[in-house]
Amino acid sequence: MSRGTDFLVFVTDKIKKKIGEINENIREVQKDIEGMHDYYWENYTEMDQYGYEDFDNRQALLTQVNANQENLKTRHRLRRMLDSPFFGSVDFVYEGEEEPEIFYIGIGNFAQRRGGIPLIYDWRAPVSSLFYDYDKGTAFYEAPLGRMEGEILSRWQYKIRGGRMIYEFESDMKIDDDILKQELGANSDTQLKNIVRTIQKEQNAIIRNTKDKILVIQGVAGSGKTSVALHRIAYLLYHDRENLHSSNILILSPNSVFADYISHILPELGEENIQEMSFDLYAYRELKGTVSDCEDRYHQIEKQMRTSRDFPEGIQGQDPTTGYAGDSAGAIYRWKQSEEYVRAVEGFLVELEDRLVDIRDVEYKGAILKTEEILTLFYRKFSGTPLLSRMRAVMEYFVDEYETLHGRTLPDEDAVWIQEKFHSMYVTTDLYEIYNWLLKDCGLPLLPDIPAEKRVLAYEDVYPVLYLKYRLCSGTVRREIRHLVIDEMQDYSYLQYVILERLFTCNMTILGDRAQTMDEKPQDVLQFLPGIFGSKIRRIEMNKSYRNTAEIAEYAEKITPVEGIQYIRRHGKEVEEKQYAVLQEAMEEILRRADPENYETAAVLTMTEDEAEEAYQYLKERREDVFYIDRDSSRFRKGITVTAFYLAKGLEFDQVFVLGGEENSALFGQFRYICATRALHELYVYERVH
């Protein structure tokens, strides 16, 4: 047998023995838990009157339960390791030594006993960087005690599945590229692949970056930026166990399907899953009560496409959805998301101080707070408190003074009465109404004057109202979040980043691709991010694409040229373009081309939601493996996925069928480019005959 196979047999036996020990430990602890339960129920009536014995018993029980939880987690991790215990190894001789040490590298650490020398090192361990960053020759890694220098004598790669060695060989950089092509040439899945076996040197530098507070990754389509960001989170969790936990991390992702697509990565890497939501959902939750519902980004995209189709550039008309002139609706939307809007709010807030309050005396059981005193407190003492929280600060000052003077606490009903007296000095506290004041001052159309339970906020107004709320109210900072991941960074506006800067003071990983901007004009957020977050930003470009075949990549580059992009030269089928007179022709062609025997995932991508719905209705009558993704979907499944192109961002498919599209739309280029860059192996483009 070879050395890799020998070690596989050896370490597999050790892992199985360890699992056996854990199983025995679990059984013993479970017996202890059952014995504690029996003892408690037999003796709880005779326990001491102060409850000390009861408390001690409960604490002992909790300790045992927690111990078994840890045992179960460890067993689960080791069982997963049995499938593929390691994927690489490095023979490294330390400077000044003669004999090399062999470091085997896998998804997680494995030692025969706690605190012992690992037989397998976690891919995130300092020594594992030797595998990712170097070929044979001089090398070093940064250990807790300092830099460890030496020489790599050999570097091996392994593929193990089901506990069996598939292949093993001594690798160099050229062979790495061959392995990478082989991995990339594999079929797509309904889950994003972890990349621990194929992490490249430049990716490893991003993953192991712990110095920069805000890391901004500009990555071309297919560069693996999302995978790298998730592996970075796994590394940071491993690196800073004492201060960073999964509950301290939040991912702002585009939608629930994408969240499902990436949800397995961290558990595969030995970490618990982390919080995920879209920023639109967060905004809706924050504004609930002010309005009954909010549009999301996808409503706005559909509106953009409808407006640019109905009112081409330079032609006047009224958008039936917004009521604005066709060529001005986009301008109003962009202004409401811009730096100019932020400046307008700041100016509005200055004069709002006088406009929003009607100050008068407050009297309670002989204690009087005169108008003049309230004015001083409101405009001077508490001038740094947000406007809609300021009167509460004045009220608390008055109550504290009264309670100190009389040496007693106010009854609850009296405290409520006083609170209402101060609150009533606001002309209004309705954010919706205050926002309308701002719109009127700016000469913009007002929102309809309707009760809160009937208000639906257009997307263009969601973040302007949210920003106004955060400027008027206290308590917005989310300090429990210690690392924020923002995906699809190019789709966030200036205003959204200003809000995020107010909400989160933590470290951030921000990633995206400016070529996939979902707006009429490509947006490079790196032009304004330093002005919002300051000089804490480190910018990294990922210009190497690993996803598409050379033929698909060349086709995509003709649609949207991207400077400096590099490709892994993996060849495949030529892109096919066809025209159809009626939808049925294209649908039948898709049914003939979709190949479930050789490919697990295919996508029919349309420009609009209506087109996707029509295609889905046709296809589902003829195939069982057809699934529809809309903005409320939460799962990505094998078979044929039908969806609008903007919901497919971040996903990849073996085959992609591009259907239709409106050439007059300002988003037509983005539609074609995003569709093309979703395809791993085959791309078909069907156009209507005009």
Side-chain angles (χ1 to χ4, degrees):
M1 287 196 293
S2 63
R3 88 168 199 174
T5 304
D6 285 344
F7 185 72
L8 176 61
V9 171
F10 168 76
V11 81
T12 298
D13 179 62
K14 298 299 181 186
I15 293 172
K16 286 179 178 177
K17 284 182 178 176
K18 189 68 176 176
I19 291 172
E21 292 172 12
I22 291 171
N23 284 336
E24 182 59 31
N25 201 328
I26 288 171
R27 283 192 291 270
E28 290 300 319
V29 172
Q30 189 57 41
K31 283 181 184 177
D32 288 346
I33 291 171
E34 290 169 3
M36 288 179 183
H37 277 300
D38 291 342
Y39 175 82
Y40 179 82
W41 289 112
E42 288 171 7
N43 298 282
Y44 78 96
T45 56
E46 299 174 10
M47 290 180 185
D48 64 273
Q49 60 176 322
Y50 299 107
Y52 295 131
E53 190 177 355
D54 181 30
F55 177 79
D56 289 344
N57 273 279
R58 288 178 183 275
Q59 289 300 108
L61 180 60
L62 182 61
T63 299
Q64 293 294 73
V65 169
N66 289 339
N68 245 4
Q69 286 297 320
E70 286 303 311
N71 283 330
L72 290 168
K73 282 182 185 177
T74 303
R75 185 176 68 180
H76 177 71
R77 181 175 63 82
L78 292 177
R79 282 176 173 173
R80 292 187 69 250
M81 282 188 78
L82 284 174
D83 179 68
S84 180
F86 55 93
F87 54 79
S89 69
V90 176
D91 290 27
F92 184 70
V93 57
Y94 287 101
E95 194 174 68
E97 300 287 335
E98 294 183 3
E99 292 297 317
E101 291 195 36
I102 302 175
F103 300 110
Y104 284 90
I105 298 158
I107 289 291
N109 264 45
F110 174 69
Q112 293 185 72
R113 59 186 179 277
R114 186 182 292 274
I117 296 174
L119 297 175
I120 299 170
Y121 286 85
D122 192 294
W123 66 277
R124 298 164 290 185
V127 72
S128 299
S129 64
L130 294 172
F131 177 77
Y132 294 117
D133 291 344
Y134 298 98
D135 196 7
K136 293 179 185 177
T138 303
F140 70 87
Y141 66 93
E142 296 290 349
L145 296 178
R147 177 176 291 194
M148 309 301 288
E149 298 182 340
E151 182 182 358
I152 294 176
L153 302 182
S154 66
R155 180 175 174 275
W156 288 73
Q157 286 193 254
Y158 312 92
K159 185 167 185 176
I160 302 167
R161 288 291 178 269
R164 292 178 56 251
M165 184 69 72
I166 308 300
Y167 61 67
E168 60 178 304
F169 54 80
E170 189 175 356
S171 66
D172 57 30
M173 292 304 177
K174 179 181 179 302
I175 295 175
D176 272 356
D177 281 347
D178 291 339
I179 290 298
L180 189 56
K181 286 181 187 178
Q182 196 176 104
E183 289 292 316
L184 297 171
N187 285 348
S188 175
D189 198 353
T190 55
Q191 295 181 324
L192 186 67
K193 298 170 185 172
N194 82 58
I195 59 171
V196 287
R197 295 178 62 247
T198 58
I199 290 171
Q200 303 297 288
K201 184 176 181 178
E202 65 275 13
Q203 294 174 331
N204 195 45
I206 298 170
I207 289 167
R208 293 173 184 263
N209 182 307
T210 59
K211 296 177 181 176
D212 295 301
K213 181 175 176 63
I214 299 177
L215 195 61
V216 180
I217 304 169
Q218 163 58 39
V220 298
S223 58
K225 53 188 174 290
T226 302
S227 289
V228 168
L230 291 170
H231 285 66
R232 181 172 190 238
I233 292 303
Y235 178 80
L236 293 174
L237 286 166
Y238 175 89
H239 179 80
D240 193 12
R241 290 274 186 225
E242 291 186 7
N243 301 308
L244 190 65
H245 306 282
S246 57
S247 60
N248 303 134
I249 300 174
L250 173 65
I251 295 182
L252 293 179
S253 64
N255 53 61
S256 296
V257 171
F258 183 75
D260 176 59
Y261 183 58
I262 66 174
S263 62
H264 68 292
I265 289 286
L266 287 168
E268 274 189 13
L269 298 176
E271 300 296 341
E272 293 180 14
N273 236 325
I274 57 183
Q275 304 174 70
E276 172 281 327
M277 70 168 61
S278 72
F279 198 23
D280 289 348
L281 177 59
Y282 181 87
Y284 163 69
R285 289 177 177 175
E286 288 288 280
L287 294 175
K288 209 169 182 181
T290 300
V291 296
S292 67
D293 204 355
C294 298
E295 287 186 354
D296 59 27
R297 180 73 170 115
Y298 304 126
H299 288 101
Q300 179 64 26
I301 292 169
E302 289 283 342
K303 195 181 296 183
Q304 280 178 271
M305 291 189 290
R306 186 167 57 248
T307 304
S308 61
R309 179 194 65 209
D310 294 341
F311 310 108
E313 189 174 350
I315 297 177
Q316 292 286 339
Q318 190 180 62
D319 178 358
T321 305
T322 63
Y324 301 156
D327 64 350
S328 66
I332 291 173
Y333 168 75
R334 285 189 291 274
W335 182 83
K336 288 180 176 179
Q337 314 303 314
S338 70
E339 185 176 1
E340 288 72 25
Y341 171 79
V342 174
R343 285 201 293 264
V345 170
E346 297 311 307
F348 172 72
L349 291 175
V350 171
E351 66 90 21
L352 187 64
E353 284 195 343
D354 296 328
R355 184 175 176 182
L356 193 60
V357 291
D358 178 18
I359 294 176
R360 49 198 180 272
D361 294 354
V362 173
E363 182 178 358
Y364 172 73
K365 294 186 176 179
I368 301 176
L369 192 63
K370 291 286 189 181
T371 300
E372 294 77 14
E373 295 176 81
I374 297 175
L375 287 169
T376 300
L377 292 168
F378 191 84
Y379 289 108
R380 293 186 184 176
K381 184 175 179 62
F382 299 114
S383 60
T385 303
L387 199 51
L388 286 180
S389 301
R390 201 178 298 176
M391 198 57 79
R392 181 178 184 86
V394 176
M395 179 270 292
E396 289 174 349
Y397 175 87
F398 174 68
V399 170
D400 286 346
E401 289 279 303
Y402 181 89
E403 289 181 339
T404 301
L405 183 63
H406 293 82
R408 62 185 180 85
T409 303
L410 286 179
D412 289 345
E413 59 272 18
D414 288 9
V416 170
W417 181 86
I418 291 174
Q419 184 176 331
E420 288 174 354
K421 289 289 274 186
F422 279 95
H423 186 76
S424 69
M425 293 187 205
Y426 286 115
V427 175
T428 181
T429 56
D430 185 351
L431 287 167
Y432 187 91
E433 186 178 347
I434 297 169
Y435 180 62
N436 259 341
W437 292 357
L438 171 62
L439 293 179
K440 186 176 181 180
D441 288 357
C442 295
L444 295 175
L446 304 185
L447 305 186
D449 184 12
I450 53 178
E453 65 272 11
K454 294 183 179 179
R455 297 170 182 168
V456 177
L457 213 53
Y459 188 72
E460 68 178 53
D461 297 304
V462 171
Y463 292 95
V465 174
L466 185 60
Y467 179 70
L468 194 60
K469 174 182 177 177
Y470 289 160
R471 290 295 286 114
L472 288 170
C473 303
S474 299
T476 57
V477 179
R478 295 287 304 275
R479 300 193 187 281
E480 78 280 9
I481 300 301
R482 294 177 189 161
H483 199 102
L484 179 70
V485 179
I486 302 172
D487 205 354
E488 302 292 351
M489 68 181 183
Q490 71 281 354
D491 290 338
Y492 288 74
S493 68
Y494 178 91
L495 176 62
Q496 287 174 310
Y497 279 111
V498 169
I499 292 171
L500 288 168
E501 194 275 336
R502 291 185 66 87
L503 280 174
F504 302 100
T505 59
C506 59
N507 291 6
M508 299 183 189
T509 302
I510 305 174
L511 58 143
D513 175 13
R514 57 177 167 265
Q516 296 184 60
T517 300
M518 287 306 308
D519 211 339
E520 295 173 8
K521 297 177 182 178
Q523 173 184 243
D524 186 358
V525 300
L526 283 161
Q527 296 296 315
F528 57 72
L529 280 186
I532 296 172
F533 291 106
S535 59
K536 302 167 280 192
I537 291 177
R538 167 82 183 281
R539 172 179 176 167
I540 294 178
E541 298 268 348
M542 293 180 66
N543 289 326
K544 198 167 189 178
S545 178
Y546 302 94
R547 178 183 293 148
N548 316 117
T549 61
E551 292 75 12
I552 294 170
E554 287 165 8
Y555 181 87
E557 198 165 9
K558 290 175 186 175
I559 302 168
T560 304
V562 179
E563 292 183 7
I565 191 169
Q566 304 167 40
Y567 298 100
I568 294 289
R569 302 299 292 180
R570 179 174 63 87
H571 286 280
K573 188 176 180 179
E574 291 290 338
V575 176
E576 288 192 23
E577 294 182 288
K578 288 193 175 184
Q579 291 189 324
Y580 64 91
V582 293
L583 182 67
Q584 183 177 344
E585 291 179 21
M587 293 291 96
E588 291 301 326
E589 183 71 13
I590 289 170
L591 289 169
R592 284 193 293 273
R593 295 285 191 181
D595 184 2
E597 290 187 10
N598 293 306
Y599 297 120
E600 292 189 340
T601 62
V604 176
L605 302 181
T606 66
M607 192 163 181
T608 68
E609 200 170 39
D610 289 344
E611 290 170 331
E613 177 67 27
E614 186 179 3
Y616 171 67
Q617 292 300 334
Y618 186 94
L619 292 171
K620 77 169 185 175
E621 297 296 326
R622 290 154 181 82
R623 288 265 294 256
E624 290 183 357
D625 61 337
V626 178
F627 306 100
Y628 184 57
I629 289 179
D630 62 17
R631 69 194 66 188
D632 298 318
S633 301
S634 58
R635 286 189 60 205
F636 179 29
R637 293 182 278 192
K638 293 179 182 178
I640 301 175
T641 295
V642 184
T643 190
F645 77 104
Y646 49 79
L647 287 166
K649 288 177 70 175
L651 307 179
E652 58 185 33
F653 306 86
D654 295 318
Q655 297 175 290
V656 168
F657 302 90
V658 185
L659 191 61
E662 181 58 59
E663 290 185 30
N664 290 332
S665 171
L667 295 181
F668 184 72
Q670 287 94 315
F671 159 61
R672 281 293 176 83
Y673 181 76
I674 289 167
C675 289
T677 54
R678 301 308 96 204
L680 277 169
H681 306 302
E682 295 182 6
L683 176 63
Y684 303 87
V685 181
Y686 300 121
E687 297 178 332
R688 291 191 187 92
V689 177
H690 294 290

